[in-house]
Structure formats: structure tokens, C-alpha cells
Amino acid sequence: MKRRPALRTRHLSLLAGASLAAAAAQPAKATDEIQVYNAGIAAPGQFTIQQHLNYVPLGVKDPPFPGGLISHNSINGTPEFAYGVTDWWEVGLYLPFAIKDQQFLSDAFKLRTLFVLPNAEQRNFFYGVNFEFSNTMPRFSQSRFGMEIRPIIGVRNADWEFIVNPIVDISFGRYGEADFTPAARVARRLAPDTYVGLEYYSDFGEIGNFSKPADQQHTLFAVTDFKLGVFDVDFGVGYGLTPASDRWVVKTIIGYAFPVPGGNSAASERSAAGPVNPMARDSRNPDATLQRLVR
């Protein structure tokens, strides 16, 4: 009888230790969309489609939570459908998925609504905010429903652009919390339709209770954006800077903007400045773009 309290105490200590270890370790989650939003949207009445594909050749080999998808050697992506409602409002639909061990896994859907400063692609200072509502599957998240709040703040001139997205990720339910996951981008124009730069993505953990530095996720990408015929292409290679980050990640985005029904070519060109190509501008006349930016 005297040993029971000791055994019970030991069991409780083991459970508490396991719980603390699980809470402290936050392995990287597979991500269907890796990009910095620049406040560019589709023209009013215009549809666009983008295909995101991200491959993790060398990543964290532990699940982010019991039963969660392991990011190592996985392919993650989503088709993204968007529609320009006005010159300051765009709505979108995602159908995220992952491919792991030759198995296709659906992550249900996401809906987003994006509000921006009109003609943001022509301005030196621009801003906006994106709200994204997600319905996720058990392999991808412990919370069924979530929301992303993504402010967009940026400055640019004819050759350089710097953008910050101070993102807050909110999950609901038993395991719900609000995480701070900021992203940023700096890029330089090499030619009218060719840009190179660096992008930074992170996950500091729960707001008010950030994870230890080693348990945070910090990844730096070398990226390039260019046009391939009628398609916008974004390509990047990322390197994880902390033990909790995937070591290597390759990301691609291919986008196409459908012609505006009854519209003009200028409107179609303008849509190319959407999120798929964060440095895109009116490439038909670079000198005119320069004149607008330096005013």
C-alpha cells in the first residue's frame, strides 16, 4: 500500500514530462503555399489560376503532432482560383493536398478574401490585408478550422521591392492558439520580366508564449520570378536555419490570368502583378512604369 502513491507519482511525472516534450518540440508542418503577398490582385471581372507545388527533399522526420503528416520527402501544393471583384477586392479558393509515400492526401479547402490599395503594383508604398479561412483534415492539423490574418506592407522603386507580411495564424477548438508566422521579401529587377531576391518565412509559435529559438521555424529562400510565354513563374530554394525547420525546400508557383471579358489588354497585364509574381509590373512599357514610380 505504501508504494502506490510513489508509483502514481512516477506515472504522473512521466506523463507530464511527455506532455512538456511534445509541447516544446514543434517540427515543421508541410506547407501548400509559400509566398509573400504583394497586394497585387486580378482585374475586376477577371479569373486567375495558380498552381503551387513544394517539395521537401530533406526535412524534419518527426510528425508535428501525433498522427500528423511528416514533411520529409513530401510534395505539398494547391491549385488556387481567384476572381477580381473590384479594383480593391479579390476572392480565392484553395484545394490543398500532399503526396507522401506515394499516397495522395486531400486537405479539404480554404477560402480567402483579399483587400488592397487600388493599383498597388503602380505605387511606391502599398498595403492590404488578406483573410483566409481553412477547413483542414486530421493529418494536417489538430484543429478542424483555422484562420489566417495576413497584413501586407511594402515599398518599391523602379528596381527594388521590400515587402513584409506579419501573419497571424489562428486555430480553433481544443488545441486552438494564435501563432505569429511573419514572412518578408526583398527583390531586385534584372529585366522587365525577370527578378531575383530573398524571401524569409518563420513560425515563432504561440503569441505571448514564443517557442525557444531552436524550436522556432526560420527558412530563407533564394527566389526568382519570370514570365514563360503567357505564364508567370516563381521558383525558389529554401534552407532551414533551425533544427525545427525543414533543411531544404523547393517551391514553385505557375500562374495564368484569363483575359478580362470585354476588357482591354492593359487590364490583363495588370493582373500579372498578383501574388504569383511579387515583382511583376506593366512590362509592356518599362519607361512608363519608371515614370509612375518616381513621381
Side-chain angles (χ1 to χ4, degrees), residues 128-193:
V129 61
N130 181 70
F131 298 94
E132 187 174 289
F133 304 90
S134 59
N135 175 21
T136 57
M137 302 300 288
R139 290 288 300 275
F140 294 84
S141 174
Q142 288 181 294
S143 300
R144 177 67 182 274
F145 300 103
M147 180 174 69
E148 175 191 282
I149 303 173
R150 182 191 293 251
I152 305 163
I153 306 169
V155 293
R156 68 160 62 94
N157 59 27
D159 297 313
W160 290 91
E161 181 168 78
F162 176 68
I163 309 171
V164 177
N165 291 174
I167 304 166
V168 175
D169 264 328
I170 303 172
S171 53
F172 302 101
R174 179 181 177 185
Y175 298 100
E177 62 183 43
D179 295 339
F180 185 51
T181 60
R185 170 187 169 95
V186 60
R188 191 182 194 284
R189 174 189 176 198
L190 298 182
D193 295 315

Side-chain angles (χ1 to χ4, degrees), residues 48 80-85 89-93 111-115:
T48 65
E80 176 185 353
F81 307 94
Y83 177 75
V85 183
W89 181 22
E90 180 185 83
V91 294
L93 166 68
L111 300 173
R112 70 168 174 82
T113 180
L114 172 60
F115 305 96

Side-chain angles (χ1 to χ4, degrees), residues 28-30 56 59-60 62 69-76 100 246:
K29 296 180 181 179
V56 186
V60 175
D62 296 319
L69 178 69
I70 297 174
S71 59
H72 174 70
N73 199 30
S74 66
I75 297 174
N76 309 272
K100 176 68 177 177
D246 289 320

Side-chain angles (χ1 to χ4, degrees), residues 216-238:
Q216 297 175 6
Q217 297 172 30
H218 299 273
T219 306
L220 187 65
F221 279 80
V223 299
T224 180
D225 306 296
F226 56 91
K227 272 191 173 292
L228 188 63
V230 297
F231 298 100
D232 294 297
V233 180
D234 173 275
F235 177 80
V237 178

